[in-house]
Short mmCIF file of all heavy atoms in Angstrom, two decimals:
data_model
loop_
_atom_site.label_atom_id
_atom_site.label_comp_id
_atom_site.label_asym_id
_atom_site.label_seq_id
_atom_site.Cartn_x
_atom_site.Cartn_y
_atom_site.Cartn_z
N ALA A 23 -3.08 4.40 -12.27
CA ALA A 23 -2.78 3.42 -11.28
C ALA A 23 -3.77 2.34 -11.13
O ALA A 23 -3.50 1.09 -11.02
CB ALA A 23 -2.56 4.15 -9.98
N ALA A 24 -5.02 2.76 -11.14
CA ALA A 24 -6.12 1.75 -10.92
C ALA A 24 -6.17 0.81 -12.06
O ALA A 24 -6.34 -0.48 -11.86
CB ALA A 24 -7.52 2.55 -10.80
N LEU A 25 -5.86 1.25 -13.31
CA LEU A 25 -5.89 0.37 -14.49
C LEU A 25 -4.75 -0.53 -14.49
O LEU A 25 -4.86 -1.68 -14.88
CB LEU A 25 -5.92 1.20 -15.76
CG LEU A 25 -7.17 1.99 -16.09
CD1 LEU A 25 -6.95 2.90 -17.30
CD2 LEU A 25 -8.28 1.02 -16.38
N ALA A 26 -3.62 -0.14 -13.98
CA ALA A 26 -2.39 -0.92 -13.90
C ALA A 26 -2.34 -1.90 -12.87
O ALA A 26 -1.96 -3.12 -13.11
CB ALA A 26 -1.18 0.02 -13.87
N TYR A 27 -2.84 -1.52 -11.64
CA TYR A 27 -2.72 -2.47 -10.56
C TYR A 27 -4.12 -2.97 -10.03
O TYR A 27 -4.03 -4.01 -9.30
CB TYR A 27 -2.04 -1.73 -9.42
CG TYR A 27 -0.60 -1.37 -9.68
CD1 TYR A 27 -0.30 -0.17 -10.13
CD2 TYR A 27 0.43 -2.33 -9.65
CE1 TYR A 27 1.02 0.30 -10.49
CE2 TYR A 27 1.75 -2.08 -10.04
CZ TYR A 27 1.99 -0.74 -10.43
OH TYR A 27 3.28 -0.43 -10.77
N GLY A 28 -5.20 -2.39 -10.48
CA GLY A 28 -6.46 -2.87 -9.99
C GLY A 28 -6.84 -2.34 -8.65
O GLY A 28 -5.97 -2.06 -7.77
N THR A 29 -8.19 -2.29 -8.36
CA THR A 29 -8.71 -2.02 -6.98
C THR A 29 -9.79 -2.98 -6.80
O THR A 29 -10.14 -3.84 -7.51
CB THR A 29 -9.23 -0.50 -6.92
OG1 THR A 29 -10.47 -0.40 -7.77
CG2 THR A 29 -8.18 0.49 -7.59
N GLU A 30 -10.56 -2.60 -5.70
CA GLU A 30 -11.70 -3.42 -5.37
C GLU A 30 -12.85 -3.40 -6.40
O GLU A 30 -13.46 -4.38 -6.75
CB GLU A 30 -12.28 -3.02 -4.07
CG GLU A 30 -11.44 -3.19 -2.79
CD GLU A 30 -10.76 -1.84 -2.55
OE1 GLU A 30 -10.32 -1.08 -3.58
OE2 GLU A 30 -10.45 -1.59 -1.50
N THR A 31 -12.90 -2.22 -7.10
CA THR A 31 -13.87 -2.03 -8.08
C THR A 31 -13.42 -2.17 -9.55
O THR A 31 -14.07 -2.76 -10.38
CB THR A 31 -14.56 -0.68 -8.00
OG1 THR A 31 -15.18 -0.55 -6.72
CG2 THR A 31 -15.61 -0.40 -8.96
N ILE A 32 -12.14 -1.76 -9.75
CA ILE A 32 -11.62 -1.75 -11.14
C ILE A 32 -10.57 -2.81 -11.33
O ILE A 32 -9.54 -2.85 -10.68
CB ILE A 32 -11.03 -0.35 -11.46
CG1 ILE A 32 -12.04 0.78 -11.27
CG2 ILE A 32 -10.41 -0.30 -12.97
CD1 ILE A 32 -11.47 2.21 -11.32
N LYS A 33 -10.95 -3.77 -12.16
CA LYS A 33 -9.97 -4.83 -12.42
C LYS A 33 -8.80 -4.40 -13.38
O LYS A 33 -9.14 -3.61 -14.32
CB LYS A 33 -10.62 -6.01 -13.12
CG LYS A 33 -9.86 -7.29 -13.22
CD LYS A 33 -10.78 -8.36 -13.90
CE LYS A 33 -9.95 -9.61 -14.16
NZ LYS A 33 -10.70 -10.64 -14.84
N ALA A 34 -7.59 -4.82 -13.03
CA ALA A 34 -6.51 -4.36 -13.87
C ALA A 34 -6.60 -4.82 -15.32
O ALA A 34 -7.29 -5.70 -15.69
CB ALA A 34 -5.16 -4.95 -13.20
N VAL A 35 -5.89 -3.97 -16.25
CA VAL A 35 -5.87 -4.28 -17.63
C VAL A 35 -4.53 -4.61 -18.13
O VAL A 35 -3.57 -4.70 -17.33
CB VAL A 35 -6.44 -3.03 -18.46
CG1 VAL A 35 -7.88 -2.69 -18.04
CG2 VAL A 35 -5.55 -1.89 -18.25
N ASP A 36 -4.38 -4.93 -19.38
CA ASP A 36 -3.14 -5.24 -19.94
C ASP A 36 -2.34 -4.10 -20.67
O ASP A 36 -1.13 -4.10 -20.72
CB ASP A 36 -3.23 -6.44 -21.02
CG ASP A 36 -3.76 -7.66 -20.26
OD1 ASP A 36 -3.28 -8.13 -19.24
OD2 ASP A 36 -4.77 -8.22 -20.85
N LYS A 37 -3.18 -3.12 -21.10
CA LYS A 37 -2.60 -2.02 -21.90
C LYS A 37 -3.43 -0.75 -21.58
O LYS A 37 -4.71 -0.89 -21.49
CB LYS A 37 -2.54 -2.30 -23.38
CG LYS A 37 -1.84 -1.23 -24.13
CD LYS A 37 -1.50 -1.67 -25.62
CE LYS A 37 -0.65 -0.59 -26.30
NZ LYS A 37 -0.19 -0.98 -27.61
N ILE A 38 -2.81 0.44 -21.54
CA ILE A 38 -3.52 1.67 -21.35
C ILE A 38 -3.23 2.59 -22.55
O ILE A 38 -2.00 2.75 -22.93
CB ILE A 38 -3.04 2.34 -20.05
CG1 ILE A 38 -3.22 1.45 -18.80
CG2 ILE A 38 -3.76 3.67 -19.87
CD1 ILE A 38 -2.69 1.98 -17.53
N THR A 39 -4.19 3.13 -23.18
CA THR A 39 -4.08 4.04 -24.32
C THR A 39 -4.90 5.28 -24.04
O THR A 39 -5.82 5.36 -23.13
CB THR A 39 -4.58 3.38 -25.57
OG1 THR A 39 -6.08 3.44 -25.59
CG2 THR A 39 -4.00 2.07 -25.86
N GLY A 40 -4.62 6.39 -24.79
CA GLY A 40 -5.38 7.54 -24.70
C GLY A 40 -4.49 8.74 -24.09
O GLY A 40 -3.67 8.53 -23.36
N PRO A 41 -4.85 9.91 -24.59
CA PRO A 41 -4.17 11.09 -24.17
C PRO A 41 -4.57 11.66 -22.73
O PRO A 41 -5.63 11.26 -22.28
CB PRO A 41 -4.49 12.17 -25.28
CG PRO A 41 -5.94 11.76 -25.68
CD PRO A 41 -5.90 10.27 -25.54
N GLY A 42 -3.69 12.43 -22.19
CA GLY A 42 -4.11 13.19 -20.92
C GLY A 42 -3.10 14.20 -20.56
O GLY A 42 -2.20 14.56 -21.38
N ASN A 43 -3.23 14.88 -19.53
CA ASN A 43 -2.32 16.02 -19.02
C ASN A 43 -1.00 15.45 -18.69
O ASN A 43 -0.74 14.17 -18.74
CB ASN A 43 -3.04 16.81 -17.94
CG ASN A 43 -3.34 16.05 -16.76
OD1 ASN A 43 -2.79 15.05 -16.39
ND2 ASN A 43 -4.30 16.53 -15.93
N SER A 44 -0.18 16.25 -18.04
CA SER A 44 1.13 15.85 -17.64
C SER A 44 1.17 14.75 -16.54
O SER A 44 1.98 13.91 -16.56
CB SER A 44 1.91 17.07 -17.14
OG SER A 44 2.18 17.99 -18.17
N PHE A 45 0.17 14.83 -15.63
CA PHE A 45 0.13 13.87 -14.52
C PHE A 45 -0.23 12.51 -15.22
O PHE A 45 0.37 11.48 -14.76
CB PHE A 45 -1.03 14.20 -13.63
CG PHE A 45 -0.64 15.38 -12.69
CD1 PHE A 45 -1.18 16.61 -12.90
CD2 PHE A 45 0.16 15.19 -11.57
CE1 PHE A 45 -0.79 17.68 -12.12
CE2 PHE A 45 0.53 16.21 -10.73
CZ PHE A 45 -0.02 17.50 -11.00
N VAL A 46 -1.12 12.56 -16.19
CA VAL A 46 -1.47 11.18 -16.83
C VAL A 46 -0.33 10.61 -17.60
O VAL A 46 -0.03 9.46 -17.51
CB VAL A 46 -2.69 11.44 -17.72
CG1 VAL A 46 -3.02 10.21 -18.61
CG2 VAL A 46 -3.95 11.75 -16.91
N ALA A 47 0.36 11.51 -18.36
CA ALA A 47 1.52 11.08 -19.20
C ALA A 47 2.57 10.52 -18.30
O ALA A 47 3.20 9.46 -18.51
CB ALA A 47 2.06 12.26 -20.02
N LEU A 48 2.87 11.21 -17.09
CA LEU A 48 3.91 10.66 -16.20
C LEU A 48 3.55 9.38 -15.64
O LEU A 48 4.30 8.45 -15.46
CB LEU A 48 4.25 11.75 -15.21
CG LEU A 48 5.04 12.99 -15.66
CD1 LEU A 48 5.03 14.00 -14.54
CD2 LEU A 48 6.46 12.50 -15.99
N ALA A 49 2.26 9.26 -15.25
CA ALA A 49 1.78 8.03 -14.63
C ALA A 49 1.85 6.89 -15.69
O ALA A 49 2.21 5.72 -15.16
CB ALA A 49 0.39 8.26 -14.13
N LYS A 50 1.47 7.05 -16.87
CA LYS A 50 1.66 6.08 -17.88
C LYS A 50 3.13 5.63 -17.98
O LYS A 50 3.43 4.42 -18.10
CB LYS A 50 1.16 6.52 -19.16
CG LYS A 50 -0.42 6.62 -19.34
CD LYS A 50 -0.79 7.34 -20.54
CE LYS A 50 -0.59 6.53 -21.82
NZ LYS A 50 -1.23 7.18 -23.06
N ARG A 51 4.01 6.53 -17.94
CA ARG A 51 5.45 6.20 -18.00
C ARG A 51 5.84 5.47 -16.70
O ARG A 51 6.72 4.47 -16.87
CB ARG A 51 6.32 7.51 -18.01
CG ARG A 51 7.76 7.27 -18.12
CD ARG A 51 8.57 8.55 -18.17
NE ARG A 51 8.20 9.30 -19.45
CZ ARG A 51 8.70 10.60 -19.67
NH1 ARG A 51 9.36 11.22 -18.80
NH2 ARG A 51 8.43 11.16 -20.82
N GLU A 52 5.36 5.75 -15.62
CA GLU A 52 5.68 4.98 -14.40
C GLU A 52 5.15 3.64 -14.27
O GLU A 52 5.86 2.70 -13.82
CB GLU A 52 5.11 5.84 -13.16
CG GLU A 52 5.86 7.06 -12.76
CD GLU A 52 7.29 6.78 -12.33
OE1 GLU A 52 7.50 6.11 -11.36
OE2 GLU A 52 8.18 7.22 -13.01
N VAL A 53 4.00 3.29 -14.93
CA VAL A 53 3.42 1.96 -14.81
C VAL A 53 3.82 1.15 -16.04
O VAL A 53 3.49 -0.02 -16.05
CB VAL A 53 1.95 2.06 -14.70
CG1 VAL A 53 1.49 2.81 -13.52
CG2 VAL A 53 1.25 2.62 -16.06
N PHE A 54 4.51 1.72 -17.01
CA PHE A 54 5.01 0.90 -18.19
C PHE A 54 5.88 -0.16 -17.65
O PHE A 54 6.85 0.03 -16.94
CB PHE A 54 5.74 1.86 -19.17
CG PHE A 54 6.31 1.05 -20.30
CD1 PHE A 54 5.38 0.50 -21.21
CD2 PHE A 54 7.60 0.94 -20.54
CE1 PHE A 54 5.95 -0.23 -22.30
CE2 PHE A 54 8.14 0.32 -21.67
CZ PHE A 54 7.31 -0.31 -22.48
#
């Protein structure tokens, strides 16, 4: 979520890559 939408510290990006657990996979699907 931080990579997709940004926070005060983390500026948003244009693409997210890399493996993760089920929570990570589902989150990637949600922000696609």
Side-chain angles (χ1 to χ4, degrees):
L25 290 173
Y27 295 101
T29 71
E30 299 92 327
T31 300
I32 304 172
K33 187 179 176 183
V35 300
D36 300 310
K37 186 168 187 175
I38 302 171
T39 73
N43 61 19
S44 295
F45 288 101
V46 171
L48 286 170
K50 286 171 71 176
R51 183 181 292 173
E52 285 295 300
V53 301
F54 176 65

